[in-house]
Amino acid sequence: MGETAHVSAIVWSAAGSLAAWLWLLLCQGWFWRTDVRLPPLRDPNTWPDVCVVVPARDEAAVLPASLPSVLAQDYPGRAEVFLVDDGSTDGTGEIARELARRHGGLPLTVGSPGDPPPGWTGKLWAVRHGMALAGARDPGYLLLTDADIAHAPDSLRRLVAAARGGGFDVVSQMARLRVESRWERLVVPAFVYFFAQLYPFRRIGRDGTRTAAAAGGCVLLSAGAASRARIPDAIRQAVIDDVALARAVKRSGGRVWLGLADGVDSVRPYPRLRDLWRMVSRSAYAQLRHSPLLLAGTVAGLALVYLVPPVAVAAGAVAGSAVAAALGAVAWLVMSGTYVPLLRHYRQPLWLAPLLPFTAALYLLMTVDSAVQHHRGRGAAWKGRTYAAPKAVRDEG
C-alpha cells in the first residue's frame, strides 16, 4: 500500500510538472524565443544629443576592453561620455583618461561622486552623479551602460533609431555575456533564460501590460521619462536597479522595450563557480523582496518545474512505473526544447539542454544562500559594499 502511494505521488508530481511546462511553453509570452531584437529602422530626421553615463568601481581590469568601444561610437548627432569613478582603489579614473587620450573618439569626462549617503545603493548614487553632470548638456537621451560592456560602432545609433522609431522611453538590450569557461557555459545562458522566463520580452514591449524590466548593462533612457519617473531618486534603494528603473518608467506612463543584443557584449569574466555564485546570490533574495514566503514558494516552484522531471524518470524506472517515467521524460523534453534557442544564441553545444535541471538546482542553492546571507545581516554585497534591505521595497516592485 505504501509503495503504491509513493508511486502515485511521483505520477502526480510528474503530471504537475508537465502541466507547468505546457503552460510555460504556450502561455508565458513565448519567453523561450530569441527573436526579440532591435528592428532595422530608418534614421530619424534629426539625431538628438546623447550623454553616455558609465558608473565604474574598481574596473581597471575590464576598461581597456570596453571603454574604447564606447568612445568609438559612430553617432551622427552630438554624444559625450561621463564615466563616474565610484570610489575605486585600482586607478579606474586615470586608466579611463589614458584610454581616451590614446584612442580619441567621443569626449570623456571623469567624475567622482564621493561615498553614497544613507538610503542609496552605490551604483545608483554614481548614476545620479553622472546624470547631474550630463544635465548641463540638456541631452535628449541618456545611455546607461556598465563599465564591462563593449559596444559595436553602430550600437548607439541603432538604440536611438529604435527609441525614436518605436516611440519608446526605454530601449534596453540584454548584453551577450561571456561564455568561455566550463562554468560560464553551464550557468550563464541559464541566467538569461530564467530572466526571460520571469520577464518575457514580448510582454515588456507591449502596451497595456504591467511587465517591465531592463538589462542594466545597456539602457537608453529618454531624459523626459527620467524626469517624469524621478530616476534615479525614486529607485535609490534598489539593488536590482535595472528592473526597478523600467518599472518606474512604465508606472509613470512610459513605454519600455527589452530584447537580446547583437553587438553589445560583456567582457567581464566569471571563470569559477564561486564568481558566478556571488553574482547571482548578491541580489537573488532582493528579487524576492526579502520575503521568506516568496522564498519558500520559489524553492517549491523550482523543484516542481525543474527537478521533478529527471527524478520522475529515475524513480519511475526503479519503481516500474511507466506512467511516471513517461510523464517525467516528456516534461524534461519540453524543458530542454525551450532552452535550445538560447543555447544557439550563445553558440553553445545543444547537449547542455538536458543539463538544465542541474543548473536550476545550482540557482536554487544560490537563492537560498542569498537569503541566508541576508538573515545573517550581511545584505546584498558588491564591489566591497554591503547593502541592508530597505525598510520599504516599493521602488523595487
Side-chain angles (χ1 to χ4, degrees), residues 290-315:
H290 305 104
S291 166
L293 186 61
L294 286 177
L295 174 66
T298 297
V299 169
L302 285 171
L304 174 66
V305 174
Y306 289 98
L307 305 187
V308 163
V311 169
V313 170

Side-chain angles (χ1 to χ4, degrees), residues 228-251:
R228 290 191 299 272
R230 298 188 303 111
I231 302 295
D233 295 61
I235 60 170
R236 60 188 176 276
Q237 293 180 319
V239 175
I240 310 175
D241 51 272
D242 43 12
V243 174
L245 182 150
R247 286 175 174 168
V249 169
K250 209 162 192 180
R251 281 198 301 262

Side-chain angles (χ1 to χ4, degrees), residues 47-59:
W47 291 94
D49 292 351
V50 179
C51 288
V52 183
V53 177
V54 186
R57 179 174 171 86
D58 292 334
E59 298 287 15

Side-chain angles (χ1 to χ4, degrees), residues 38 43-44 47-53 69-81 106-107 140-145 150-164 171 173 218-221 262-264:
L38 282 181
D43 291 348
W47 291 94
D49 292 351
V50 179
C51 288
V52 183
V53 177
S69 74
V70 177
L71 299 173
Q73 286 302 294
D74 178 19
Y75 183 67
R78 180 185 175 191
E80 190 170 350
V81 180
L106 301 181
Y141 288 90
L142 298 154
L143 175 60
L144 311 180
T145 186
H151 292 258
D154 64 345
S155 177
L156 182 55
R157 176 198 290 260
R158 295 185 65 210
L159 287 165
V160 172
R164 280 293 185 91
V171 173
Q173 289 189 284
C218 178
V219 179
L220 184 76
L221 170 66
D262 292 308
V264 179

Side-chain angles (χ1 to χ4, degrees), residues 48 50 97 109-110 116 130 220 225 242 246 263-264 267 289 300 310 331 344 364 382 392-393 396:
V50 179
R97 294 185 185 94
T109 298
V110 177
L220 184 76
D242 43 12
V264 179
V267 299
R289 306 183 186 187
R344 285 178 172 162
L364 187 155
W382 187 243
V393 296
E396 291 186 3

Side-chain angles (χ1 to χ4, degrees), residues 104-312:
L106 301 181
L108 173 71
T109 298
V110 177
S112 180
D115 292 334
W120 282 84
T121 60
K123 179 181 175 181
L124 285 171
W125 179 244
V127 168
R128 187 182 192 274
H129 183 74
M131 290 176 64
L133 293 173
R137 309 297 195 268
D138 193 25
Y141 288 90
L142 298 154
L143 175 60
L144 311 180
T145 186
D146 286 346
D148 65 305
I149 301 298
H151 292 258
D154 64 345
S155 177
L156 182 55
R157 176 198 290 260
R158 295 185 65 210
L159 287 165
V160 172
R164 280 293 185 91
F168 293 105
D169 298 286
V170 170
V171 173
S172 179
Q173 289 189 284
M174 177 71 71
R176 192 187 297 266
L177 306 177
R178 200 186 92 138
V179 282
E180 295 182 13
S181 73
R182 66 176 181 273
W183 286 112
E184 287 171 337
R185 292 188 178 98
L186 184 68
V187 175
V188 165
F191 177 83
V192 180
Y193 175 87
F194 294 141
F195 186 93
Q197 194 175 81
L198 285 172
Y199 307 104
F201 296 167
R202 278 177 171 74
R203 287 185 183 170
I204 292 170
R206 191 182 305 154
D207 292 336
T209 65
R210 297 181 60 187
T211 306
C218 178
V219 179
L220 184 76
L221 170 66
S222 80
S227 177
R228 290 191 299 272
R230 298 188 303 111
I231 302 295
D233 295 61
I235 60 170
R236 60 188 176 276
Q237 293 180 319
V239 175
I240 310 175
D241 51 272
D242 43 12
V243 174
L245 182 150
R247 286 175 174 168
V249 169
K250 209 162 192 180
R251 281 198 301 262
S252 67
R255 301 183 67 217
V256 178
W257 185 94
L258 172 64
L260 293 173
D262 292 308
V264 179
D265 303 289
S266 172
V267 299
R268 191 184 305 283
Y270 293 98
R272 300 164 299 184
L273 176 59
R274 69 178 181 180
D275 301 318
L276 290 158
W277 193 290
R278 190 180 303 117
M279 184 265 290
V280 174
S281 65
R282 73 181 182 92
S283 60
Y285 198 41
Q287 178 69 49
L288 301 176
R289 306 183 186 187
H290 305 104
S291 166
L293 186 61
L294 286 177
L295 174 66
T298 297
V299 169
L302 285 171
L304 174 66
V305 174
Y306 289 98
L307 305 187
V308 163
V311 169

